[in-house]
């Protein structure tokens, strides 16, 4: 209420909300609407008899604007527009400052009250009550006193008396009630529309965010909503699909037969109940591959229960369906494998202490599936008494701390027969990491056990026979040395004493006897050494490989000198072994390299070695005549010769001795060679613990 030029308009939000919120265009739109309504209201007013005051409702739109406008400058502009608009009985120079005297405080206070308090009230009833009370309070605290002060100053009356009279007479009570009613109604309508818009936006965001496809239809089965996932599955654009019959958008068939499947929406519209799709339902999209889906459809009802439409939720289960089919296929394969292998599966539930038997588990214990009651205690009667303690102890250890379970035990069948079984299992934990189940397999190994026992018996017999043969070879070779020495000695003595009496043929025959006896003597010595590798070996000690090579070369000094051989030795790591046998091994390899050199070229032999972990590798290389690929495997066979004795003398035992020595030390010996390009022998031996090695050197 006031002079026709003495009214102002609504306020805005709290001071903390200046210049944030919606875009400028929205704020300007609110300003223009409320400014126009407020200005129009200022020209529709009722004069209060015998006063210069008029009752109008511009303040309703002013307060609404002060609350809703997010930008201060628009709220101030609205206050100025409302202070100027309307009919005036006083000059503008007086009207505008007078109106601003209460509009500006009302603007600031309203923005604080609304922005920091009322706008956060969720209940519409409490919000409307709070706003109406604020409008009434604004008139009592700001509007009425401000107008009373202005008129007291204009009439030169005491200000305090004017304010008291205004509070007593309440000239703006009717206007405040009217303004409260109009502004409260307006804000409630705007807030209700905003809530509806917010809920719609949240629904749209929710539908777009969820991983399932959602399609809504009206009662005629026409599409009213299609979220992003539904658009992806059907390959229909949402805007293009709206209003179309669902049958155009959604084509459903049986994934296995290809037969059409009725839309669940049609069923819901007909029966007015929630329905689910059958298994193996596939969706044929507008474009793209067929997708396996699962879905349900339900009626949409209003608050009175009347049906408004149907909502259908679809889920793409193509990958899950493929995994399930693959799992079923693997299960069938597992069943076939278990059936073919005669294996059983057992599942021990630790909490209930019960056992599930699958596959051939029951038959492995001589039972029918229905004969086993599922109790762990019942298995004790099925296991041989001597094996029960170890068997159950292993299972308990697995259930307690996950120790690997691999037990071999005997099963006593009801008919008294004994069968060997092997059970392997692992612990399964629950989501909290607690022991949950022990799952394993069982197989019958009775035949395998019998075969192992036969094999062990055969191995023992062979080992005994091999020991006897080694002993025989040692004794035979040892005992043969004496008659051979006698044969050589007496043949030589015969030649010395009666040589001049023998003709040329007799001399040749005597040389043949001596040569054969010497070759037999060499062969017996090599055979004796071969048999001693296992029978006469010494305990392993740290062996200086540099010293080994020098000892071997000393033994071969005559061959090195006569052939003008050059032996280059690198730094060699120490090994762990039988020193005399290592010397024999190295001597055989160097001797071979010297013996099989190219005609007309002095032998060139190099030795190198290196350590790799706990092992030492020794390489002996030469530039001799080489070995054909087809002969490499045969050179380690005892008595095997690749050349005649006339070309290259020897017994054919040296490399067999080297291989036997390497194997006695747990190592290996291999050869790499090409004819005419030399040969490389590689030997692995256990390394010494101190990992020391000597310096290299050259021998000629």
């Amino acid at each position: 209420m006031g002079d026709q030029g003495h009214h102002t308009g609504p306020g805005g939000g709290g001071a903390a909300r200046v210049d944030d919120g919606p875009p400028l265009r929205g704020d300007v739109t609110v300003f223009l609407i409320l400014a126009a309504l407020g200005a129009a209201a200022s020209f529709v007013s009722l004069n209060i008899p015998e006063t210069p005051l008029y009752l109008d409702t511009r303040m309703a739109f002013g307060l609404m604007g002060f609350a809703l406008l997010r930008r201060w400058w628009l709220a101030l502009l609205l206050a100025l527009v409302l202070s100027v608009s309307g009919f005036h009985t006083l000059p503008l120079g007086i009207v505008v400052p007078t109106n601003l005297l209460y509009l500006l405080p009302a603007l600031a206070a309203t923005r604080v009250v609304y922005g920091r308090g009322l706008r956060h009230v969720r209940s519409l009833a409490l919000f409307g009550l709070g706003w109406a009370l604020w409008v009434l309070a604004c008139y009592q605290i700001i509007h009425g006193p401000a107008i009373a002060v202005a008129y007291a100053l204009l009439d030169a009356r005491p200000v305090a008396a004017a304010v008291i009279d205004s509070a007593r007479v309440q000239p703006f009570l009717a206007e405040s009630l009217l303004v409260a009613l109009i502004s409260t109604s307006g804000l409630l309508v705007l807030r209700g529309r905003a809530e509806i818009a917010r809920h719609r936006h949240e629904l749209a965001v929710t539908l777009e965010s969820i991983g399932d496809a959602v399609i809504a239809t009206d009662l005629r089965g026409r599409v009213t909503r299609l979220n992003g996932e539904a658009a992806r599955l059907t390959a229909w654009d949402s805007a293009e699909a709206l209003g179309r019959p669902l049958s155009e958008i959604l084509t459903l068939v049986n994934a296995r037969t290809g037969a059409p499947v009725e839309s669940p929406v049609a069923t819901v519209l007909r029966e007015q109940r929630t329905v689910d799709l059958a298994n193996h339902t596939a969706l044929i999209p507008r474009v793209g591959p067929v997708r396996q889906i699962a879905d349900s459809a339900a009626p949409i009802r209003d608050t009175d229960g009347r049906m408004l439409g149907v909502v259908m939720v679809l889920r793409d289960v193509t990958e899950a369906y493929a995994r399930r089919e693959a799992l079923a296929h693997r299960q069938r394969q597992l069943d076939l494998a278990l059936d073919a292998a005669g294996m059983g599966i057992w599942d021990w539930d630790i909490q209930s202490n019960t056992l599930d038997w699958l596959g051939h588990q029951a038959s492995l214990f001589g039972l029918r599936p229905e004969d086993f009651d599922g109790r762990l205690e019942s298995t004790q009667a099925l296991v041989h008494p001597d094996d029960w303690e170890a068997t159950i102890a292993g299972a308990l250890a697995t259930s307690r701390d996950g120790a690997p379970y691999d037990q071999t035990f005997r099963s006593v069948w009801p008919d008294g027969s004994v069968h060997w079984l092997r059970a392997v299992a692992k612990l399964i934990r629950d989501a909290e990491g607690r022991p949950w189940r022990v799952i394993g397999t069982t197989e019958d190994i009775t035949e395998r056990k019998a075969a192992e026992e036969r094999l062990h018996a055969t191995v023992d017999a062979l080992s005994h026979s091999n020991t006897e043969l080694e002993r025989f070879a040692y004794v035979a070779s040892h005992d043969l040395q004496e008659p051979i020495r006698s044969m050589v000695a007496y043949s030589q003595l015969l030649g010395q004493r009666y040589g001049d009496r023998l003709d040329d043929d007799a001399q040749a025959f005597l040389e043949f006897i001596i040569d054969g006896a010497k070759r037999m003597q060499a062969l017996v010595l090599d055979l004796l050494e071969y048999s001693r590798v296992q029978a006469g070996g010494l305990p392993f000690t740290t062996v200086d490989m540099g010293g080994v090579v020098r000892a071997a070369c000393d033994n071969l000094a005559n061959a090195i000198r006569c052939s003008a051989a050059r032996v280059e030795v690198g730094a060699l790591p120490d090994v762990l072994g039988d020193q005399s046998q290592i010397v024999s091994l190295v001597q055989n390899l160097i001797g071979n390299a010297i013996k099989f050199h190219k005609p007309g070229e002095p032998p060139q032999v190099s030795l190198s070695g290196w350590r790799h972990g706990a092992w030492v590798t020794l390489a002996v290389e030469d530039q001799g005549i080489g070995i054909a690929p087809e002969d490499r495997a045969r050179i380690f066979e005892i008595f095997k010769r690749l050349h005649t004795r006339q070309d290259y003398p020897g017994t054919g035992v040296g490399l067999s001795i080297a291989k036997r020595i390497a194997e006695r030390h747990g190592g290996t010996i291999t050869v790499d060679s090409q004819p005419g390009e030399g040969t490389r022998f590689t030997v692995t031996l256990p390394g010494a613990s101190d990992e020391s090695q000597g310096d290299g050197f050259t021998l000629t």
Side-chain angles (χ1 to χ4, degrees), residues 611-634:
R611 192 177 184 105
H612 50 94
W615 294 89
V616 168
T617 298
L618 173 68
V620 180
E621 300 181 69
D622 64 52
Q623 299 174 3
I625 63 174
I627 304 171
E630 62 271 17
D631 293 330
R632 292 177 194 164
R634 298 194 302 139

Side-chain angles (χ1 to χ4, degrees), residues 505 524 605:
D505 287 342
V524 169
V605 186

Side-chain angles (χ1 to χ4, degrees), residues 276-338:
D276 296 321
L277 270 182
N279 291 332
H280 315 298
T281 300
L283 166 66
I284 301 178
R286 194 179 189 183
V287 293
V290 175
R291 312 298 295 179
Q292 189 77 25
I293 63 168
D295 86 342
S296 62
I300 303 174
R301 302 183 185 276
D302 62 14
T303 55
D304 296 326
R306 290 190 297 268
M307 190 169 171
L308 303 177
V310 178
V311 60
M312 183 167 59
V313 179
L314 301 92
R315 186 169 67 258
D316 185 351
V317 295
T318 304
E319 294 182 1
Y321 185 81
R323 288 195 298 269
R324 187 167 60 250
E325 288 295 305
L327 183 60
H329 178 66
R330 286 196 294 270
Q331 183 62 47
R332 289 191 295 271
Q333 289 180 319
L334 177 61
D335 292 341
L336 289 173
L338 289 173

